Amino acid sequence: MAAKLQQATTSTPLARKLLAVLVAVMISGCSSLPDARPIDWWRNGLKLGPNYRRPAAPVASDWIDYDDPKLLVDSTDVTDFAWWRTLGDPVLDELVQSTYSQNLTLRAAGQRVLQARYQTAIATGSLFPQHQSYDGRYTRLQRSRRGDLTGLNELNNRLPTPIQIPRTFDSWQHGFSLGWELDVWGRFRRAIEASDARLDESVNNYDAILVSLLADTATAYVQVREYQERIRLAQQNVELQQQSYGIAKARFDQGAVTELDIDQATATLANTEALLPQLRIQQRVASNQLCVLMGMPPSDLAKNMSPAPIPDAPSEVVVGIPAELIRRRPDIRAAERRVAAESALIGVATAELYPAFSITGTLGWHAGDFDDVFSSAANYGTVGPGFHWDILNYGRLANNVRLQESKYCEQVALYKQTVLNANQEAEDAIVSYLQSQELVAALQKSVDALKKSSDVAVIQYRNGKVDYNRVATVQSELVTYQDNLAAARASVALSLIQVYKALGGGWQIRCRALPPLVVNSETMEVVPQPAPEVDSADAVE
């Protein structure tokens, strides 16, 4: 019967043409799409779609300031995983460890790594039988007297000995079923490649967040120390100007000067005192940020910190060469992994152009009585191959492939832009680090000269050789330049932090983690932390 049906089907001209078209399409593939032909499928390891190659990215051959003696470009030990220790501040070491152990943003990133790992496991499971189930059902059936039973009764009446045909009966059935789509064209394997790339991307995103958090922690701490120093200097200048005000008041009481000197001394003193609230606001903001980075409610950490100067940055820094940014920076590696994922998805989309081959089977038991439903006589089963092919949909399927190729090209462009941005960030940080040191040296000379000028001006004013305007001018400039010097010294440390951040340093702490430390917000003492549970840090190791 099947042979006759096949002969009748293929004997019509329309059927023969349709079959010829389908065979030709299967043999030739979609020639307008790259890597969609069976010959490419064979060359790519029985997988459709392109085999991934990392795209080239524009990278400078050297740093702009490569000839500066403060830049060391020969060493390969560039991004020491504990780079913050170059600042020589043990409190900063403790704060960094606390951030690594307690930061909530980092833990959320760790959960995304776990999610990507589970997605990879799900994709890997697609290689095995996709449908496996055990089903059972019971049915109570009653036939219509005016339907099937009418014909059966007429036939039954013609028999020599009529049989009793029940109108109602039971149906008990249970069994196993299996469906397995074979990965002939590599659709599932390409999906696994994409999931693996997404997993790598999530790990690199975790590292990128870790790099940023460590740099932000060091930045907030340096800013706290900066504002502490600027507040200390402002208070010193307030005391100095109060003494100058006392001298002016004494000379006014003696009738040696007019009230103008008193007003000018008052204005100069008040202007310096006005700096203190502004600096305290900025210090509190930096302290609050530091608390949040460590995963705890904001508190005034500065009150509990013992007095310490602004961390001194070393005069030299190891930067390597720009080409190493591609290997070191986690955000660049994450962008490259997104390119790899989109490349694999091209193969997934291309596989939709071809038929899907599968094997299906069932093994079950069916009986009218429950007592017989487990007997061998009630057993039945089926097994056999099959295929499914979305024909006459090549416009939709082909455009889906082109859509995926466009997404791939988009990620390639974004990857190259990420490399350029990284190069720019590194260059910006390097020039800031180098020039900040020059700025500190120049401001230090100005401050030293103004200190001498202030002492001389006060002595000369006391002796009546100069008016108070000279004293007010020198002391106002001293306040400004001392404040600028403190900011510039902090800028050197902050620029060094940005250099290490731009070079991608710090994420290695998860691979070679130091013993976790927690800082008590009230006493600023190191509190031992219990062994961590399986969380974000474990997820990326």
Side-chain angles (χ1 to χ4, degrees):
M1 182 66 180
K4 291 182 179 180
L5 181 59
Q6 182 179 8
Q7 181 179 2
T9 304
T10 57
S11 62
T12 62
L14 179 60
R16 287 198 301 269
K17 291 180 180 179
L18 180 59
L19 182 60
V21 169
L22 294 179
V23 172
V25 170
M26 184 173 177
I27 294 175
S28 63
C30 186
S31 58
S32 63
L33 297 173
D35 300 303
R37 299 171 298 173
I39 186 64
D40 298 309
W41 164 77
W42 178 264
R43 292 172 178 171
N44 291 343
L46 307 184
K47 292 183 289 186
L48 290 172
N51 284 337
Y52 174 70
R53 299 179 184 86
R54 188 176 70 184
V59 182
S61 59
D62 221 328
W63 304 111
I64 297 175
D65 298 302
Y66 71 93
D67 56 347
D68 193 298
K70 297 184 180 66
L71 294 185
L72 306 179
V73 298
D74 296 331
S75 176
T76 57
D77 186 17
V78 176
T79 54
D80 181 11
F81 79 104
W83 56 260
W84 51 90
R85 290 182 171 174
T86 61
L87 296 176
D89 194 315
V91 175
L92 176 58
D93 297 346
E94 298 165 5
L95 295 176
V96 166
Q97 284 299 305
S98 182
T99 297
Y100 175 63
S101 303
Q102 302 171 186
N103 184 267
L104 299 180
T105 302
L106 192 61
R107 292 188 177 184
Q111 292 302 317
R112 289 193 290 272
V113 173
L114 290 176
Q115 295 163 19
R117 180 180 293 176
Y118 301 145
Q119 290 290 346
T120 300
I122 293 172
T124 304
S126 299
L127 288 175
F128 303 96
Q130 296 84 15
H131 172 73
Q132 305 168 75
S133 66
Y134 174 73
D135 306 294
R137 64 177 178 270
Y138 163 76
T139 306
R140 177 74 173 177
L141 179 63
Q142 176 175 295
R143 292 194 177 97
S144 172
R145 294 182 183 276
R146 302 300 181 187
D148 297 338
L149 287 180
T150 301
L152 290 174
N153 287 331
E154 293 177 357
L155 180 61
N156 190 34
N157 292 333
R158 297 175 185 175
L159 297 175
T161 304
I163 61 175
Q164 183 66 31
I165 300 177
R167 184 185 177 194
T168 61
F169 62 92
D170 295 332
S171 174
W172 297 87
Q173 185 176 358
H174 70 102
F176 302 92
S177 62
L178 178 144
W180 188 2
E181 180 181 340
L182 304 179
D183 192 26
V184 176
W185 309 110
R187 180 163 67 96
F188 298 133
R189 283 170 288 164
R190 290 298 191 192
I192 293 173
E193 290 179 9
S195 295
D196 285 338
R198 294 296 186 194
L199 175 57
D200 293 340
E201 177 194 352
S202 67
V203 173
N204 286 310
N205 284 335
Y206 177 95
D207 290 342
I209 292 174
L210 181 55
V211 168
S212 180
L213 287 175
L214 297 180
D216 290 346
T217 300
T219 296
Y221 174 74
V222 171
Q223 288 175 339
V224 169
R225 291 305 191 188
E226 172 194 350
Y227 296 128
Q228 284 182 331
E229 178 67 12
R230 291 170 67 181
I231 289 172
R232 185 186 67 82
L233 292 173
Q235 290 173 339
Q236 283 184 355
N237 282 296
V238 166
E239 294 175 359
L240 176 64
Q241 292 173 8
Q242 286 175 342
Q243 295 175 4
S244 299
Y245 173 83
I247 296 174
K249 181 71 167 57
R251 298 199 67 201
F252 173 74
D253 293 341
Q254 296 171 1
V257 296
T258 65
E259 192 175 0
L260 177 62
D261 287 9
I262 299 296
D263 293 338
Q264 193 169 12
T266 302
T268 302
L269 176 59
N271 187 58
T272 303
E273 290 175 336
L275 289 176
L276 294 173
Q278 304 175 42
L279 295 174
R280 291 190 181 109
I281 292 173
Q282 294 171 323
Q283 176 183 293
R284 179 66 60 82
V285 170
S287 175
N288 292 342
Q289 182 183 5
L290 196 54
C291 291
V292 173
L293 287 169
M294 291 189 295
M296 62 185 188
S299 62
D300 193 0
L301 293 178
K303 286 185 177 180
N304 303 315
M305 290 182 180
S306 57
I310 299 172
D312 288 327
S315 60
E316 297 178 344
V317 61
V318 181
V319 294
I321 58 176
E324 294 176 350
L325 291 175
I326 296 177
R327 175 180 58 84
R328 291 198 303 257
R329 283 194 48 144
D331 59 333
I332 294 180
R333 298 200 304 269
E336 186 269 332
R337 289 288 84 198
R338 285 192 289 271
V339 176
E342 296 298 338
S343 174
L345 291 177
I346 295 175
V348 175
T350 305
E352 299 290 342
L353 297 168
Y354 293 89
F357 299 96
S358 60
I359 299 175
T360 58
T362 58
L363 176 63
W365 291 261
H366 186 196
D369 296 325
F370 180 77
D371 294 338
D372 299 330
V373 77
F374 294 100
S375 65
S376 59
N379 177 257
Y380 72 91
T382 63
V383 64
F387 74 93
H388 171 79
W389 197 355
D390 288 330
I391 61 174
L392 306 180
N393 286 312
Y394 268 61
R396 175 177 60 83
L397 298 176
N399 282 310
N400 185 41
V401 177
R402 295 187 180 97
L403 171 63
Q404 194 57 52
E405 290 173 340
S406 178
K407 291 181 178 180
Y408 167 78
C409 294
E410 176 192 8
Q411 292 302 323
V412 170
L414 292 176
Y415 165 69
K416 294 180 179 180
Q417 186 62 46
T418 302
V419 175
L420 287 177
N421 291 341
N423 204 338
Q424 177 193 352
E425 291 173 7
E427 290 286 4
D428 292 347
I430 288 173
V431 69
S432 178
Y433 170 73
L434 296 176
Q435 295 304 315
S436 293
Q437 295 185 57
E438 301 293 333
L439 179 61
V440 168
L443 287 174
Q444 187 63 60
K445 294 179 181 179
S446 298
V447 169
D448 293 341
L450 284 170
K451 284 182 178 179
K452 295 179 181 178
S453 298
S454 176
D455 295 339
V456 172
V458 170
I459 294 173
Q460 290 181 345
Y461 176 72
R462 182 184 290 114
N463 296 331
K465 295 182 178 179
V466 297
D467 58 14
Y468 195 81
N469 184 60
R470 176 67 63 87
V471 176
T473 300
V474 172
Q475 290 186 344
S476 296
E477 289 181 351
L478 179 61
V479 171
T480 300
Y481 280 88
Q482 280 187 329
D483 189 70
N484 290 343
L485 176 59
R489 289 181 54 216
S491 179
V492 176
L494 295 174
S495 298
L496 180 64
I497 293 171
Q498 293 305 311
V499 168
Y500 280 115
K501 178 182 178 182
L503 295 177
W507 63 267
Q508 300 90 338
I509 190 176
R510 70 170 176 83
C511 303
R512 297 175 287 177
L514 300 174
L517 301 173
V518 179
V519 179
N520 188 302
S521 60
E522 297 181 357
T523 63
M524 290 307 297
E525 295 179 352
V526 180
V527 179
Q529 187 183 21
E533 301 177 356
V534 178
D535 57 6
S536 59
D538 299 322
V540 296
E541 289 184 353

